[in-house]
Amino acid sequence: MMRLHGYFRSSAAWRVRIALNLKGLAVEHVFHHLRHGGQRAPDYLRLNPQGLVPVLETEEGVVLTQSLAICEWLEEGWPEPPLLPESRDERAKVRAFAQAIACEIHAVQNLKVLARLRALGLGDEAVTAWARETIQEGLAACEALIADGEGPFCFGAQPGLADICLVPQLGNARRFGCDLEAFPRLMAADAACAALPAFAEAAPGRQPDAE
Ligand SMILES: N[C@@H](CCC(=O)N[C@@H](CS)C(=O)NCC(=O)O)C(=O)O
């Protein structure tokens, strides 16, 4: 059986949990407590020298890192239901939306960056404001990217890679107190996702390591 290394609150691991659920794939979960430094344990660093979750170990023992690479690997191995549209143009748009979240929002407000800001002397209030403003600004761009779409999901009638990235990022947005009322399309996609067991069961609060 495949093995997913994660942490209940990790939005990157959350993405992979959703993708696995959408594909109907069962995995063994291994949880690493990020606030206690589990990701820096020598055994874990041998798996992922970046010291980040998620890691997916395949049945053949191949070690995969980076949530978007893992989602695309799942897509190639189990094409149904598809996480990416058929049209090449649309696929590029979905990937761009996913990367707008993974590279431009999440990467700027993740645990490691916030810890660095604290180490540089910023207090809790300033660090929270950094995260909140980063997310708010990034989500405004995401809202504009899909504003003309029909929905209910980010790119049409079926959930896909964009939704897989959006839902965990909205989880972070709520944690940092963002004002989400300005984002009706994102909220509609979030609501459509929340109604699906694949998304609901991947939520942090449903994981065995949830606190
Ligand atoms: N780009 C990576 C991001 C992974 C990442 O930032 N993971 C966070 C949790 S969401 C982590 O492991 N943080 C540990 C740390 O910062 O020490 C991916 O998409 O997999």
Side-chain angles (χ1 to χ4, degrees), residues 1-209:
M1 190 184 256
M2 292 188 279
R3 193 178 292 151
L4 177 66
H5 296 260
Y7 174 59
F8 75 104
R9 198 177 272 142
S10 158
S11 40
W14 186 351
R15 293 174 198 149
V16 176
R17 291 196 300 263
I18 300 169
L20 287 163
N21 290 349
L22 285 169
K23 299 287 185 189
L25 297 169
V27 294
E28 179 192 339
H29 289 272
V30 184
F31 296 102
H32 302 270
H33 201 301
L34 299 189
R35 294 199 180 272
H36 296 169
Q39 72 279 31
R40 292 187 292 276
D43 279 356
Y44 189 73
L45 286 175
R46 272 191 284 278
L47 271 185
N48 184 0
Q50 284 191 289
L52 298 171
V53 297
V55 160
L56 185 74
E57 290 184 82
T58 74
E59 285 182 355
E60 292 75 28
V62 179
V63 175
L64 302 175
T65 63
Q66 289 292 339
S67 61
L68 294 187
I70 295 170
C71 288
E72 295 245 10
W73 180 85
L74 292 170
E75 176 76 348
E76 288 170 16
W78 292 269
E80 294 297 329
L83 304 180
L84 290 165
E86 258 183 51
S87 138
R88 184 179 169 206
D89 292 351
E90 286 302 302
R91 280 204 302 278
K93 288 183 186 179
V94 170
R95 288 184 174 119
F97 184 97
Q99 289 175 27
I101 290 177
C103 309
E104 322 293 350
I105 306 178
H106 177 255
V108 186
Q109 58 85 172
N110 68 10
L111 188 60
K112 191 169 265 184
V113 171
L114 302 190
R116 287 263 165 83
L117 293 174
R118 281 197 184 91
L120 288 170
L122 255 65
D124 281 346
E125 210 173 300
V127 170
T128 300
W130 168 287
R132 190 177 52 243
E133 287 162 21
T134 299
I135 298 170
Q136 193 88 31
E137 183 184 294
L139 289 180
C142 289
E143 173 79 14
L145 283 173
I146 61 168
D148 295 338
E150 284 179 8
F153 296 99
C154 287
F155 287 85
Q158 303 300 330
L161 190 64
D163 305 280
I164 284 172
C165 290
L166 175 66
V167 167
Q169 190 58 57
L170 289 174
N172 285 355
R174 290 185 179 101
R175 218 150 45 83
F176 288 109
C178 293
D179 171 12
L180 299 177
E181 278 185 21
F183 311 134
R185 271 293 282 117
L186 301 183
M187 291 297 93
D190 188 47
C193 291
L196 300 178
F199 282 83
E201 287 163 17
R206 300 280 293 268
Q207 306 315 303
D209 64 331

